[in-house]
Amino acid sequence: MNIKILDGGFGAQLSTRVSSKIDGDPLWASRFLATNPDAVYATHLDFLRAGADIIETNTYQASVSGLMKHLSITKEESINLLHEAVNIAKRAVNDYVKEIRGNNDIENKNPMIAGSCGPYGASLHDGSEYNGTYGKTTSRETMIEWHKSRINAFVDAGIDLLALETIPCYQEAEAIVELLREYPNVKAWLSFSCERNSQNIVDGSNWQEVATRCYKMALPEQIVAIGVNCVAPKDVTPLLKNVNKGTGNEFIPLIAYPNSGEIYSQSEGWVKNESPSVSFESFIPEWLEFGIRYLGGCCRMYAENIKSIREEVNNFKKKKEAEMD
């Protein structure tokens, strides 16, 4: 069973290295690509040292148009900054590989880089990325063009795959998959933003129906996994448990990288939603049974959490091996 460990919430880990405000900024952590690239590099290294097989570029909130607007730079400079985001991640990976050379106990010997592509709604700064309402009013062509400029920059810079993440509406998901077909040699995962205590995307669509439809729309094996991110850990199971249930169905690899369970409020910042009755790690065995093959953390999940995830995955593998003996 090949399980890839992802990194965690970039802004959360970055906050341990900088004193400047991150949350609520129009560019969030992406601003630091321009203002403090050394901290971005160090944050990537934190996750690699914690055991991440895949790190994401610090670009969730960074679109070409968004960088132009909020950094007052040209289109060319914005594209160059996206290239630099990939280069910073590459430098962290290269230095990490040198650092671990000769250490046979290290598991993530060949880390990969995913280009982080947040939803179109995040660029609107009106909260619509939390409900996906823009899917009904924004043309497919507009969303495709917006995503295309960033994807082009990532492909040109040599990312290993794309993280198409936190998608809140079915219209955008389908538009992205349509766009992805223009890049037959590029692989990606597709991850959705979903309602709490529900089986739906935040726009009200059924997650399993939309996700599996998008998976089948893509070129064969182009989407490496479908799943959810930035949901509370307790909400992962209801969403993913039935995708690979039963026999005779095509196995679909799944991805999950939940947040800490806290909720972000513009007025209050991060607010604890409820006291978890069980730990994040206790969910992992059942998630792996569902078919999760990519597992990590999102908002408010630090490098130490990624280390715990890898340990729990290893415990699961050992248990399975023992059962087979």
Side-chain angles (χ1 to χ4, degrees), residues 62-305:
S63 62
V64 173
S65 57
L67 292 172
M68 290 172 65
K69 179 178 180 179
H70 298 293
L71 291 178
S72 299
I73 59 178
T74 66
K75 181 178 180 179
E76 182 180 4
E77 289 170 332
S78 295
I79 293 171
N80 287 339
L81 196 58
L82 291 173
H83 290 170
E84 183 59 17
V86 179
N87 290 335
I88 292 170
K90 283 183 176 181
R91 182 159 59 91
V93 167
N94 289 338
D95 289 349
Y96 175 71
V97 169
K98 291 177 184 175
E99 180 182 297
I100 64 171
R101 189 169 293 153
N103 187 340
N104 294 325
D105 295 329
I106 297 295
E107 294 178 89
N108 59 333
K109 289 184 171 65
N110 299 292
M112 300 172 69
I113 298 169
S116 173
C117 302
Y120 175 78
S123 70
L124 302 177
H125 306 294
D126 60 1
S128 60
E129 74 267 35
Y130 300 115
N131 54 41
T133 54
Y134 63 89
K136 298 175 182 177
T137 58
T138 306
S139 71
R140 178 172 291 202
E141 291 73 22
T142 296
M143 288 188 280
I144 284 176
E145 286 305 309
W146 184 85
H147 279 285
K148 188 171 186 176
S149 58
R150 179 167 54 185
I151 289 175
N152 282 341
F154 288 154
V155 172
D156 290 344
I159 44 85
D160 296 307
L161 71 166
L162 296 171
L164 309 173
E165 54 189 356
T166 333
I167 306 303
C169 54
Y170 78 87
Q171 297 95 336
E172 184 170 16
E174 292 179 356
I176 293 173
V177 174
E178 179 183 325
L179 172 61
L180 194 60
R181 292 173 66 92
E182 298 181 17
Y183 306 85
N185 296 319
V186 175
K187 294 187 180 298
W189 71 68
L190 179 62
S191 183
F192 292 81
S193 175
C194 295
E195 296 174 344
R196 294 193 296 275
N197 304 310
S198 170
Q199 295 183 19
N200 295 335
I201 306 169
V202 292
D203 74 345
S205 304
N206 179 273
W207 174 82
Q208 185 171 332
E209 291 178 4
V210 173
T212 54
R213 182 168 72 245
C214 288
Y215 182 79
K216 292 172 183 176
M217 280 174 56
L219 296 176
E221 300 183 357
Q222 188 171 28
I223 293 183
V224 300
I226 56 172
V228 297
N229 72 288
C230 215
V231 298
K234 67 179 181 60
D235 292 327
V236 173
T237 294
L239 288 157
L240 303 189
K241 66 180 181 180
N242 292 322
V243 176
N244 289 306
K245 194 172 183 179
T247 58
N249 295 325
E250 174 192 10
F251 175 79
I252 298 178
L254 302 175
I255 183 170
Y257 44 121
N259 58 34
S260 64
E262 296 167 84
I263 298 173
Y264 182 75
S265 162
Q266 288 184 326
S267 59
E268 301 177 68
W270 289 101
V271 181
K272 288 190 179 297
N273 182 24
E274 56 191 54
S275 298
S277 57
V278 290
S279 68
F280 177 100
E281 292 80 9
S282 65
F283 291 104
I284 291 177
E286 70 173 1
W287 292 346
L288 297 178
E289 294 283 6
F290 297 154
I292 284 183
R293 297 297 179 261
Y294 297 79
L295 181 61
C298 200
C299 294
R300 307 288 281 179
M301 296 289 281
Y302 297 83
E304 62 189 41
N305 299 114

